[in-house]
């Protein structure tokens, strides 16, 4: 099996055009964790060694996510970029809350409450609990961020809630349900973030199709190039540069823009 330090190094070598693939030894370790999870009566708590974050993973998270958490390969690029570019005193807004790991880390970095916009309301208590477990506070917003609210006259958008939460996204496929659709501009007007983390499974293209409100000076964006392709990724980056941002960092699929 690949040693864990080599696995972490492999993560940092990933490029922006492909999703991660399982590495040697992953399947065996995940199977071992799955056998353990079947015998547990409640959530699992573990500490992310590279970020000193305590994470509570409910049973529905599954063995693969538990394994990735244990080897520092869950949202690692976002967390490392946040550590370098999100600062004390920033007002952080997270679009796409997941299980609250990035929000918990952001609350520690900024020293303030983090606004988390998450379409899957079932994850809200998980996110809030994660942030609180690490000494922070979060304000949860039940919505899917969109580029222009006028494209959704009834105020909703279809959102696919996947069995594995990290595949959930805007769309009309299996598990789709209506959720509130709120424009990025309206979210910024309501919460005045200075820093925004965006990880919304391809929805970043729509959200960033319009000028970013002036209150935002730092953007950490996971651009899903394997889904949207290189030309559309280039167009998205060009729009942000035209909007006054400059590229200051990049790791795996995630980019940092500042103005």
């Amino acid at each position: 099996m690949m040693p864990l330090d080599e696995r972490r190094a492999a993560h940092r070598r990933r490029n922006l055009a492909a999703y991660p693939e399982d590495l040697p030894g992953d399947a065996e370790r995940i199977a071992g964790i799955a056998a353990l999870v079947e015998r547990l009566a409640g959530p699992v708590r573990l500490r992310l060694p590279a970020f000193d974050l305590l994470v509570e993973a409910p049973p529905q998270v599954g063995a693969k996510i538990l394994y990735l958490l244990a080897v520092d390969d869950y949202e690692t690029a976002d967390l490392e970029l946040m550590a370098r570019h999100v600062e004390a005193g920033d007002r952080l807004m997270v679009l796409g809350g997941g299980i609250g790991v990035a929000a918990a880390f952001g609350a520690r970095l900024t020293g303030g409450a983090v606004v988390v916009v998450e379409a899957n309301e079932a994850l809200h208590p998980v996110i809030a609990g994660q942030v609180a477990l690490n000494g922070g506070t979060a304000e949860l917003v039940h919505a899917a961020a969109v580029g222009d609210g006028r494209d959704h006259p009834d105020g909703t958008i279809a959102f696919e809630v996947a069995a594995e939460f990290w595949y959930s996204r805007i769309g009309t496929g299996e598990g789709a349900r209506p959720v509130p659709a709120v424009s990025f501009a309206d979210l910024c007007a309501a919460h005045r973030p200075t820093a925004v983390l965006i990880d919304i499974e391809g929805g970043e293209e729509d959200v960033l199709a319009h000028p970013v409100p002036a209150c935002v000076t730092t953007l950490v964006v996971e651009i899903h190039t394997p889904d949207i392709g290189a030309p559309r990724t280039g167009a998205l980056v060009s729009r942000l540069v035209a909007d006054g941002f400059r590229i200051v960092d990049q790791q795996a699929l995630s980019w940092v823009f500042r103005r």
Side-chain angles (χ1 to χ4, degrees):
M1 291 187 182
M2 176 179 287
L4 295 185
D5 56 346
E6 290 184 21
R7 193 181 197 290
R8 295 186 185 110
H11 166 84
R12 289 166 178 81
R13 292 194 296 270
R14 290 176 187 152
N15 62 39
L16 54 81
Y19 286 124
E21 296 180 351
D22 286 349
L23 297 173
D26 283 357
E28 293 89 340
R29 288 174 172 145
I30 292 168
I33 290 174
L36 175 63
V37 168
E38 287 179 359
R39 291 159 174 79
L40 295 177
V44 176
R45 281 191 180 183
L46 68 163
R47 189 170 295 277
L48 302 193
F51 306 101
D52 194 29
L53 274 179
L54 192 60
V55 176
E56 184 169 284
Q60 64 265 36
V61 162
K64 184 164 186 176
I65 293 294
L66 278 176
Y67 171 63
L68 295 177
L69 286 164
V71 297
D72 282 336
D73 202 2
Y74 176 76
E75 298 186 349
T76 302
D78 289 347
L79 296 177
E80 291 190 347
L81 292 173
M82 289 171 66
R84 296 199 287 268
H85 300 286
V86 175
E87 302 171 349
D90 270 331
R91 171 71 163 162
L92 176 65
M93 183 162 68
V94 176
L95 305 186
I99 58 171
V101 174
F105 193 49
R108 175 189 294 173
L109 293 171
T110 64
V114 174
V115 178
V116 184
V117 182
E118 171 56 53
N120 184 358
E121 201 167 17
L123 291 175
H124 285 203
V126 178
I127 297 166
Q130 214 77 267
V131 176
L133 189 62
N134 289 276
T137 57
E139 180 179 349
L140 279 296
V141 179
H142 180 216
V146 298
D148 191 339
R150 293 173 297 184
D151 294 336
H152 310 279
D154 69 347
T156 68
I157 190 169
F159 185 79
E160 299 173 10
V161 177
E164 294 187 67
F165 73 90
W166 53 340
Y167 290 125
S168 299
R169 63 185 65 206
I170 289 171
T172 57
E174 186 177 353
R177 63 191 66 176
V179 300
V182 183
S183 73
F184 185 39
D186 286 347
L187 289 166
C188 289
H191 301 285
R192 307 299 297 170
T194 60
V196 179
L197 168 66
I198 303 176
D199 183 2
I200 50 176
E201 306 306 315
E204 67 276 2
E205 194 176 19
D206 178 49
V207 164
L208 298 176
H210 306 273
V212 175
C215 61
V216 180
T217 57
T218 301
L219 279 172
V220 182
V221 188
E222 186 166 324
I223 302 179
H224 293 78
T225 301
D227 289 338
I228 70 174
R232 286 158 59 184
T233 295
L236 189 159
V237 172
S238 295
R239 283 196 300 273
L240 289 173
V241 171
D243 202 17
F245 286 93
R246 67 188 189 282
I247 303 167
V248 297
D249 211 342
Q250 188 272 328
Q251 186 172 319
L253 298 178
S254 296
W255 304 61
V256 182
F257 304 89
R258 300 196 81 162
R259 64 180 174 187

